[in-house]
Amino acid sequence: MSFEFPWLFLLLPPLWHCLYRCRERLSPRYFVHLELFAVRRGWFKWLWLLRYVAVLLLVTAIASPVTIDQDDPLNRQGVDVVLALDASGSMGASGFDPKSRESRFDIARRIAKHFIVDRIGDNAGVVLFGDFAFIASPVTYEKTVVAEMMDYLVYGMAGQNTAIGEGIAMGVRALEDSKALSKVLVLLTDGEHNSGRVSPKAATELAVKHGIRIYTVGMGQKGEFDEAMLRRIADESGGAFFAAYDPEALAAVYEAIDALERSRIKSERILRKEYYYTWPLAMGVLLLFYLWRREAL
């Protein structure tokens, strides 16, 4: 909690002093209710306190109390990100990294784990898709647990084909209760959509409806994945398309996505303010009304 105009509290000492010392002799036609603050005998002492409190509340309202959403590790409403990983049969192929015999899925999983753990202050979840899709880990702040869980995922456990529409739709489902400022789905695949009951177009429209940006990543050699479709999904949802032809490029893709989202959320948080001047203003006006009624009686 802070104030937009904290220097206005400097008005309190002279105003309180005036309540105690000043004698108003102005014509009522200019200041009809100045008698509310006049010094009068016969009033209870606690009514003096109400006068001071009324002035304090009005000055507080003018100073405009406000809360500002700051970007820090304890803020868990920054970015909610879901990684949708292709676990079809083709992801079991080796050769993506000429230096090792790791499968495409193992490489994608390893790099994705680093991406998740490094997103300090954000929530993360994982969706796996093949012939169908399922939520392997719900969106949570416990990203270390999510990374450890990913070690138990293997290609083929969701079927051998590639249902990209199902992967997007399940990612939307994982994010549907999110209250984050930014909701992101990172979809990685090495093939073309050839399975599932949900089309990529319908799933993308659903994501747009829920305010989710989709970053698409094509993994593998050029021509192995449907670049045109992945670009279209990213463009329609406000995300971006990336192609990764080797492990170094894939790691760079996740770094680029990380930088894009941190920049975007930082600019949005600058404008995230909540004002609370109405509460002290309302209480101050009620006190003034009460004092006026006492004076009238």
Side-chain angles (χ1 to χ4, degrees), residues 51-206:
R51 294 189 181 97
Y52 285 96
V53 172
V55 172
L56 173 61
L57 290 171
L58 292 177
V59 172
T60 301
I62 297 173
S64 188
V66 61
T67 58
I68 304 175
D69 188 11
Q70 299 291 339
D71 187 8
D72 59 65
L74 297 180
N75 178 11
R76 301 185 182 184
Q77 291 189 344
V79 180
D80 280 1
V81 56
V82 168
L83 302 186
L85 299 178
D86 187 344
S88 61
S90 61
M91 289 292 287
S94 60
F96 185 68
D97 183 1
K99 301 176 184 178
S100 73
R101 297 184 59 83
E102 282 185 296
S103 67
R104 290 180 177 181
F105 185 82
D106 289 339
I107 294 172
R109 181 182 57 186
R110 171 166 49 82
I111 296 175
K113 284 172 58 179
H114 289 296
F115 174 79
I116 289 175
V117 173
D118 290 343
R119 294 201 64 84
I120 300 174
D122 298 333
N123 303 312
V126 177
V127 165
L128 216 65
F129 67 93
D131 287 306
F132 60 92
F134 66 91
I135 299 175
S137 171
V139 177
T140 176
Y141 189 72
E142 303 298 333
K143 295 178 290 296
T144 302
V145 176
V146 176
E148 291 175 354
M149 178 279 307
M150 292 180 68
D151 289 332
Y152 297 96
L153 302 179
V154 295
Y155 64 89
M157 65 188 305
Q160 297 298 311
N161 295 308
T162 307
I164 292 177
E166 298 281 353
I168 296 174
M170 192 58 66
V172 172
R173 182 176 178 181
L175 289 165
E176 63 183 356
D177 295 324
S178 170
K179 305 299 182 184
L181 295 175
S182 183
K183 293 179 284 188
V184 174
L185 176 63
V186 181
L187 183 137
L188 180 144
T189 182
D190 71 336
E192 301 179 351
H193 175 76
N194 56 18
S195 184
R197 294 179 296 177
V198 182
S199 69
K201 179 177 177 57
T204 303
E205 292 174 352
L206 185 64

